[in-house]
Amino acid sequence: ALPISYIHKCLAMASDPDPFKTFGYTVCKLAKATSSAEGSWARTTEEVPAGAPLLVLPLHCCWSAAAAAVECPQVAQALSKAAARNPSSELLQSGATRIALHLLWELRQQRRNPETTAETEQVKRRRAHLELLGGPKVGSRKLETLLAWGRRDLDSLQGSFWFEESHRRQDEIVADLQSLLADLGPQVAAELGLIEGGSQDSSEVLEGEITRESLEAFAWARWVLQERSLSFLLPPGHALGESLQLLAPGLELLAAPLEVPEEAKASAVGLGPGGLLRLEMKLQDGPALVLYAGQDYKAGECVRLWHRGLACSQGFRLLMGLGRELKVPTGGAGDDESATHDVCTSNPWDSVEVLLRLPVSAEDSSESSRMWDMIESLEAALQESRPWIGGFLQPGDCLPPDYCWRRVEVVQRPEPDPETAAPEAEGKDQLEVHVRLPFCRGQVPRRRALEELGIMICADAGRMARVMQSERGLLDPLGPRACRQRALGYLHRRLQWALEEYPSKPGFDAKLLMRDLSEQQQRQSMQEGDEPLLPRRVRGLLLVAAEKQLLAEAAVIIKKQLDQMQDEGEENEEQEDFVEGPLQDLHQQLLAHGALAPPAASELFSAIGRLAGCGARAAQLGDRFQELLSKGDGAEAEAKDLLTELSLLAQLLSASPLGDALAPHLALGGARGEALASVLRASRASLEWQAAAQEKKLKRSAPSSVKAEEQRLSELRLVLGAAELRLGELEAASKTLQQAIELLRPGSGSSASGWWKAAFQASSVHFDFTALTVPAVRCITGSQVMPAGTASSLRISPCVPGARELALAIARRCAVARAGSVKEVLGSSENTWDGYSQTLRVLWTKMKDSGFMKVFKRPWLKKTPPAQDLALALADQGLGRETGKVDADLKALNALFLLREALPLNRAIVLLGVEAFQMLIKQSALCCFDAAKGCLLKSEDALAMEPSSAAADTLEVLATVALWPVQDDLVVAVDFDQVLQGGSAEDAVPHLAHDAKALLAASSAAVPAEAAGGQRVLDFCCGSGAAGLSVLRCGERALGGGRPNMTVTFLDDRPRALRFARFSAHLNGLAECCTFASCSALSTPE
């Protein structure tokens, strides 16, 4: 008897329109249907783009072995002691056992104290899920797994592999319960509700006496796990092992797929017919189950659950309680073939298990016997013959139920009849090798599997003798061809025997059974829902019909192959077509297919789809934050939910199998770059809303808290400026950062200590804006910006000492990036450098004499990502950090033109000379930054500044282009930023990475002395012009320093590259031998 209040609580739970929040989902775009016309399945609450998360459930909210150890320690302790006594017991070590006992434990506690108010959130989740599932006696949902079928229902499976397998699994439940009762003892068993306290003593438990109530309770838990639990593939070397089994509450409210989409039939890698369920292990907030949308959803649409575990045979689907895709034949009374065809094609991964029993000699079963190597070889070959199972699975994917099945086992053969058994067999162990061979539509085992099977057939001495007798005409009875032919012949006979065990017309029998059942009986046997299930016996007959058709097709294919092998000689035998397996490594798929048009049936396609979906959802969140800005007060609750979802989207992008989509060096292009841009824009919108809300809070704050609120507002603007900076919105970033600097009172960072103080005393090269923005947009939660966990990221928290210096560092980088992206950098016309020949010569001589061109003699840089800052790449190698080994001028030149560090105005003028400084300022090769105001000076203002004035003390000079020493007497100009910011339409001039070394070496060796005159050279797609200038310099060396009579034409379609090459030619004194042309100016290819 249950209290009335408990019954009312169950009814309230059943009518709860939003049970997902009760179960602990942090992101939920679904709600339970509120009207009977909509059905009972969950539906979307808003528009969701394909690939975006529909549901997110933290792993700790699921039922798992780890949760059982924490929440029911008595059971965990008893299991641990039992496992220590019996370490070889798979039952005691199994995670499924711990989850099942956890279910019974919580069910028992719930019935003991149904009205308790002292419930934790986790206990509330557990009880809510149990109320949804129902118990063994008061269950509101009927379980449909094969384990819950009655004996009469299972009789419909006669002839099928699943007839014996279902009976075996049901009997296994009883045996497992007996074993657990003996291992756990009566006290723990009573706590679980498996026995009534005091009704059974230890002796009765040890004798294995089980009451009906105990069996019902334990069987119900096992049925729930068989039907509802999921297993996920873990990364290699994970502490939890190869896979993780869990039970996720709330997934029962999602409809199962009726059919598989066309794009997923070749391989189970599409996003699925409704949504793709994955276990994301690398999220910063902890592992979580994520259901990704498989299509663009509108509000109110039904969502069907899909995961990789559904890529299995129809028999396994019935074991999982599915079967809505099975349909009753609609043809005439004799039209059994067409009806069976309808059943088979509904599941592209359907297969039938055929059990092969191969006797082996007992003397060949010793540990040193070769038979075990044969078994392992056959196992590996059979795994390769299952293309619908292996190859496409990635860590985090749900595993098919037969993923961990061993296809080959050695078992004890039943005792032979003493009247018919051979005398020599008496007293000897009788062994068999059991081979579970799957046959799917249109496929038979591959060549290697047939060869291994042909060898295994001869493992028994008696069978080997018969084979040698029947195949005595063959030259090599154990050769590959003979083994394949022997295996095909054996399989053909075995399939004929299997077909004889099936009913003659199971599909027609299913139709007759449906016709004989009354409408009331049909309704009683169907489960409530949008798509009612067929009666169990009908489903069993349809499964048998599907398997029979698959076996018949396989027999035809095998017979055809046998006939071909007999008609053709061994020398004319065609080789088996090589079928390339799917590439498991996504980076290999990227190399093979690229990211623009990957195959639809590939994990790469799915991963890119998830990236795009998360980016599209982030864009929606950004639009919603913009709406909240104009909404005013009262939006805090919604904004909090949006921030939580934005944080999760950022974590999903960071944990993408394609690589961190929020990496500091990533360019805003391609699939990952587009997703990054969407998250950046959404983060900017969220920060704008947070800053606006903080401004309102500041106006209402008490005088005693004004300083703290101003500090918080300045930090929000600091992070907002970093996000704008990464998006290339340099004007907005400068304005935002100046506001942050104004709010930060001078001296507020004077207490900075530790790594903050040391970092800001060093050069700003350590604080590249691409690195700073990553933690700012990756995990924004409340008042904190969480660190990204990378070496280049910063930890920004409220009231951080040194925040003013941080703002200045970002503002400085913002300024130089903006100055370097303008089109006036290094001249605006072809005649820019005509009047600066002498000044450039003095600058070049200064660099050569100081050793600037020799200090770069070290290993070449590897190819860096396209958005990586050149200065950061050089700093990582420690270039120019040998401060004790070089003079002051060389250190300053390295800092200015290679490491992108700032020099005081007076120091820069002394280093370069007045004329060279003014020339580079006018041509935007240098810029001047006011550290007091955090802004960039115009070139005319910088030139008019008197170096001896007090205002000049806060001015800093930074280079907008890098001067890269290529040879001992050659330097070229390249861009620091390999992706220009600020909305510039120009492409960056690339620095010389490892792939340019061979080109420079070839150009240096291609100019002998006799050929240094009259040669015409074309530097096609010249970039910085390093190759063409190297040819000219080598021509000079070949002539002993004289001017070579050569002409080098620098050709490029990028105006910026031609400007940089022209400047480099003038700087190195080689402009007289150079001409420059744009590709767009050519009238013909010549």
Side-chain angles (χ1 to χ4, degrees):
L2 296 174
I4 294 297
S5 59
Y6 174 71
I7 297 176
H8 288 168
K9 187 177 180 181
C10 292
L11 294 175
M13 177 60 202
S15 60
D16 184 6
D18 190 14
F20 292 102
K21 283 192 175 180
T22 306
F23 295 140
Y25 284 82
T26 55
V27 172
C28 177
K29 304 303 173 188
L30 303 178
K32 190 177 179 182
T34 56
S35 64
S36 58
E38 295 178 347
S40 61
W41 306 120
R43 297 176 180 272
T44 53
T45 58
E46 58 182 283
E47 292 186 2
V48 180
L54 287 164
L55 293 173
V56 177
L57 179 66
L59 182 59
H60 65 82
C61 295
C62 300
W63 305 81
S64 64
V70 174
E71 298 175 32
C72 46
Q74 297 92 329
V75 177
Q77 185 177 6
L79 281 174
S80 299
K81 291 181 179 178
R85 293 192 301 267
N86 189 7
S88 62
S89 173
E90 295 183 2
L91 177 65
L92 297 174
Q93 302 288 348
S94 171
T97 301
R98 299 174 185 270
I99 299 175
L101 296 181
H102 189 191
L103 285 168
L104 296 177
W105 171 271
E106 293 292 349
L107 187 64
R108 178 73 168 178
Q109 300 304 314
Q110 182 182 35
R111 290 182 175 179
R112 278 183 172 181
N113 305 301
E115 300 184 43
T116 180
T117 57
E119 294 180 352
T120 64
E121 289 297 324
Q122 189 72 326
V123 172
K124 291 179 181 179
R125 296 189 192 107
R126 301 302 187 206
R127 296 195 171 189
H129 192 209
L130 288 173
E131 289 161 5
L132 180 64
L133 291 174
K137 291 185 178 181
V138 294
S140 60
R141 286 180 173 268
K142 185 179 179 182
L143 296 172
E144 289 297 333
T145 171
L146 284 179
L147 301 185
W149 285 24
R151 299 289 174 166
R152 185 183 177 190
D153 296 329
L154 291 179
D155 287 342
S156 62
L157 296 173
Q158 286 189 8
S160 169
F161 163 83
W162 291 103
F163 177 73
E164 295 183 1
E165 182 67 14
S166 300
H167 283 84
R168 185 191 68 80
R169 293 193 180 215
Q170 288 185 350
D171 296 339
E172 188 180 65
I173 293 178
V174 180
D176 289 348
L177 179 57
Q178 290 176 336
S179 177
L180 281 175
L181 288 176
D183 287 328
L184 296 177
Q187 183 177 356
V188 177
E191 289 290 334
L192 292 169
L194 294 178
I195 61 174
E196 293 298 330
S199 64
Q200 288 181 294
D201 58 22
S202 301
S203 60
E204 291 175 331
V205 171
L206 291 175
E207 290 173 1
E209 297 182 7
I210 303 175
T211 64
R212 180 176 179 180
E213 291 77 10
S214 300
L215 183 58
E216 285 180 348
F218 185 70
W220 170 82
R222 290 284 289 265
W223 295 349
V224 168
L225 287 181
Q226 185 65 70
E227 185 168 325
R228 306 294 187 188
S229 69
L230 303 168
S231 294
F232 292 90
L233 183 65
L234 296 179
H238 197 277
L240 297 178
E242 183 182 6
S243 62
L244 174 65
Q245 186 176 8
L246 54 86
L247 180 64
L251 296 185
E252 301 87 353
L253 300 175
L254 274 68
L258 286 176
E259 57 185 16
V260 180
E262 291 296 330
E263 63 270 16
K265 287 187 177 181
S267 180
V269 293
L271 286 175
L276 173 64
L277 186 68
R278 279 180 50 84
L279 177 62
E280 300 293 354
M281 297 293 296
K282 297 181 180 180
L283 302 185
Q284 191 176 27
D285 294 340
L289 277 181
V290 182
L291 178 66
Y292 296 92
Q295 63 187 53
D296 292 328
Y297 279 105
K298 298 180 180 179
E301 289 191 282
C302 178
V303 176
R304 299 186 178 278
L305 177 65
W306 173 256
H307 50 77
R308 305 283 198 257
L310 297 176
C312 58
S313 68
Q314 198 60 47
F316 276 108
R317 290 195 174 190
L318 287 184
L319 190 65
M320 299 163 63
L322 302 176
R324 288 181 173 83
E325 61 273 24
L326 293 173
K327 299 177 182 179
V328 179
T330 57
D335 192 14
D336 183 58
E337 294 183 1
S338 63
T340 304
H341 182 71
D342 291 340
V343 175
C344 293
T345 55
S346 62
N347 180 7
W349 299 283
D350 200 5
S351 63
V352 54
E353 300 279 343
V354 176
L355 181 60
L356 309 180
R357 294 183 171 92
L358 305 176
V360 293
S361 302
E363 55 268 19
D364 292 335
S365 61
S366 62
E367 294 183 0
S368 60
S369 173
R370 184 176 176 271
M371 183 190 71
W372 303 106
D373 295 334
M374 296 165 56
I375 289 176
E376 291 302 322
S377 298
L378 179 58
E379 177 74 34
L382 291 177
Q383 293 292 343
E384 294 175 359
S385 294
R386 299 191 300 162
W388 67 96
I389 296 296
F392 62 85
L393 290 172
Q394 298 290 328
D397 284 339
C398 189
L399 295 175
D402 62 340
Y403 179 79
C404 297
W405 266 33
R406 279 195 63 85
R407 293 286 166 180
V408 187
E409 295 180 304
V410 178
V411 299
Q412 188 77 28
R413 190 162 48 177
E415 290 295 332
D417 187 351
E419 296 183 359
T420 59
E424 60 272 13
E426 294 183 5
K428 293 184 179 181
D429 293 333
Q430 302 296 316
L431 302 178
E432 284 182 340
V433 175
H434 283 192
V435 181
R436 294 188 181 95
L437 198 60
F439 288 90
C440 59
R441 180 173 297 279
Q443 295 183 7
V444 295
R446 293 183 181 174
R447 175 172 297 196
R448 183 190 166 195
L450 292 175
E451 294 173 358
E452 297 293 342
L453 181 60
I455 295 176
M456 183 59 67
I457 291 173
C458 301
D460 180 65
R463 186 184 290 269
M464 182 65 178
R466 292 194 298 271
V467 167
M468 291 301 176
Q469 180 66 24
S470 61
E471 299 177 2
R472 58 181 179 273
L474 296 178
L475 295 177
D476 187 7
L478 295 180
R481 176 182 172 84
C483 289
R484 289 198 303 274
Q485 188 170 356
R486 183 184 312 120
L488 288 172
Y490 174 78
L491 289 178
H492 187 262
R493 295 191 300 272
R494 183 63 184 87
L495 292 184
Q496 294 299 327
W497 299 337
L499 286 171
E500 293 176 359
E501 298 175 0
Y502 281 91
S504 59
K505 294 183 178 181
F508 181 60
D509 294 340
K511 181 178 180 180
L512 291 179
L513 181 59
M514 281 295 294
R515 187 181 64 184
D516 294 340
L517 289 175
S518 65
E519 294 183 3
Q520 182 178 1
Q521 289 174 320
Q522 292 183 29
R523 286 196 301 269
Q524 290 176 352
S525 61
M526 293 181 181
Q527 184 179 359
E528 294 181 0
D530 289 348
E531 302 87 18
L533 281 169
L534 294 171
R536 289 175 174 177
R537 283 186 290 162
V538 175
R539 276 178 275 156
L541 288 171
L542 293 178
L543 172 65
V544 171
E547 290 187 350
K548 184 177 180 181
Q549 178 66 17
L550 287 175
L551 286 182
E553 293 178 358
V556 172
I557 296 175
I558 289 176
K559 183 64 168 63
K560 182 179 179 181
Q561 291 188 6
L562 272 174
D563 295 340
Q564 290 178 348
M565 293 188 71
Q566 293 173 359
D567 295 340
E568 299 176 359
E570 186 170 358
E571 63 279 0
N572 297 325
E573 182 182 5
E574 295 183 0
Q575 294 293 322
E576 181 181 35
D577 294 335
F578 174 72
V579 180
E580 182 179 3
L583 297 173
Q584 291 184 311
D585 186 14
L586 293 184
H587 297 287
Q588 294 179 3
Q589 294 186 23
L590 279 171
L591 291 175
H593 307 294
L596 297 179
S602 66
E603 174 62 23
L604 177 61
F605 179 81
S606 178
I608 292 177
R610 297 197 298 271
L611 273 178
C614 290
R617 180 58 187 169
Q620 292 180 350
L621 295 183
D623 295 340
R624 186 58 189 151
F625 272 113
Q626 292 293 337
E627 295 174 5
L628 293 182
L629 274 174
S630 58
K631 189 175 180 179
D633 296 335
E636 288 78 8
E638 182 180 357
K640 183 178 179 181
D641 292 339
L642 294 179
L643 283 172
T644 300
E645 186 175 357
L646 179 58
S647 173
L648 174 80
L649 290 174
Q651 293 179 61
L652 290 174
L653 291 174
S654 296
S656 170
L658 294 175
D660 188 355
L662 302 185
H665 58 260
L666 195 65
L668 300 181
R672 290 195 297 162
E674 291 172 1
L676 167 62
S678 299
V679 173
L680 283 169
R681 296 188 184 98
S683 298
R684 176 194 58 192
S686 71
L687 289 164
E688 289 174 349
W689 180 86
Q690 292 181 73
Q694 183 64 24
E695 287 179 356
K696 296 178 182 178
K697 185 177 180 181
L698 177 60
K699 293 177 181 179
R700 299 191 297 264
S701 61
S704 59
S705 60
V706 168
K707 184 175 182 180
E709 298 298 338
E710 285 183 346
Q711 183 77 18
R712 170 63 184 149
L713 178 58
S714 66
E715 290 161 1
L716 282 172
R717 286 178 174 168
L718 176 64
V719 181
L720 173 59
E724 293 171 336
L725 189 60
R726 184 73 190 276
L727 284 167
E729 300 173 357
L730 302 179
E731 295 289 348
S734 293
K735 182 179 179 180
T736 303
L737 291 171
Q738 288 181 32
Q739 293 174 348
I741 294 174
E742 291 171 2
L743 279 172
L744 292 169
R745 300 288 189 264
S748 62
S750 58
S751 59
S753 60
W755 71 272
W756 277 93
K757 185 175 182 180
F760 285 115
Q761 287 176 348
S763 65
S764 63
V765 71
H766 295 291
F767 301 105
D768 176 65
F769 63 88
T770 58
L772 281 173
T773 57
V774 174
V777 302
R778 179 174 293 174
C779 300
I780 302 172
T781 56
S783 62
Q784 282 191 320
V785 181
M786 305 300 293
T790 59
S792 61
S793 64
L794 297 180
R795 185 188 299 270
I796 305 175
S797 59
C799 303
V800 170
R804 178 179 174 83
E805 288 84 352
L806 176 60
L808 281 173
I810 302 179
R812 184 184 294 112
R813 182 52 52 88
C814 173
V816 71
R818 182 176 59 184
S821 63
V822 298
K823 295 183 179 181
E824 289 75 19
V825 172
L826 294 183
S828 57
S829 67
E830 297 181 0
N831 303 323
T832 298
W833 307 104
D834 290 348
Y836 293 112
S837 299
Q838 183 61 32
T839 303
L840 289 170
R841 186 65 183 175
V842 172
L843 178 60
W844 182 89
T845 304
K846 175 78 173 180
M847 291 180 176
K848 184 174 178 58
D849 293 344
S850 66
F852 177 76
M853 299 183 186
K854 293 183 179 181
V855 75
F856 194 56
K857 282 192 172 183
R858 55 182 64 243
W860 282 59
L861 288 173
K862 295 182 179 179
K863 194 71 174 180
T864 57
Q868 178 68 59
D869 188 336
L870 171 60
L872 286 180
L874 296 178
D876 288 342
Q877 288 196 349
L879 175 63
R881 295 301 181 184
E882 304 89 345
T883 54
K885 300 180 182 180
V886 293
D887 60 23
D889 285 352
L890 180 54
K891 287 194 300 182
L893 288 172
N894 277 340
L896 184 63
F897 291 117
L898 287 179
L899 299 181
R900 210 180 194 184
E901 297 178 0
L903 294 180
L905 176 64
N906 291 327
R907 179 72 180 97
I909 293 176
V910 173
L911 175 69
L912 302 175
V914 175
E915 294 182 358
F917 171 78
Q918 293 178 349
M919 173 191 68
L920 295 177
I921 285 286
K922 288 180 181 179
Q923 305 306 328
S924 301
L926 297 177
C927 65
C928 197
F929 179 75
D930 190 342
K933 299 179 180 179
C935 63
L936 190 69
L937 268 68
K938 296 181 180 179
S939 58
E940 53 268 25
D941 294 337
L943 293 173
M945 181 64 63
E946 182 65 33
S948 59
S949 64
D953 293 340
T954 61
L955 298 183
E956 301 173 344
V957 176
L958 298 103
T960 60
V961 297
L963 298 183
W964 186 304
V966 178
Q967 296 172 356
D968 292 345
D969 52 1
L970 183 64
V971 61
V972 296
V974 297
D975 270 308
F976 279 112
D977 293 313
Q978 293 299 289
V979 173
L980 297 180
Q981 306 290 334
S984 175
E986 295 188 314
D987 293 330
V989 178
H991 60 76
L992 304 179
H994 191 74
D995 53 358
K997 185 176 182 180
L999 182 60
L1000 285 176
S1003 64
S1004 301
V1007 191
E1010 60 272 13
Q1015 227 179 16
R1016 298 178 61 194
V1017 180
L1018 174 64
D1019 190 348
F1020 189 74
C1021 295
C1022 62
S1024 63
L1029 294 175
S1030 177
V1031 170
L1032 286 173
R1033 191 64 85 195
C1034 291
E1036 282 187 346
R1037 298 193 196 102
L1039 296 176
R1043 181 72 61 196
N1045 185 20
M1046 302 171 61
T1047 301
V1048 178
T1049 300
F1050 296 86
L1051 184 66
D1052 208 299
D1053 62 347
R1054 297 167 294 177
R1056 188 180 185 90
L1058 293 177
R1059 295 201 309 271
F1060 276 53
R1062 184 180 290 109
F1063 167 75
S1064 299
H1066 282 276
L1067 178 61
N1068 291 280
L1070 301 172
E1072 296 178 2
C1073 303
C1074 302
T1075 59
F1076 304 88
S1078 174
C1079 293
S1080 59
L1082 296 179
S1083 57
T1084 64
E1086 291 80 11

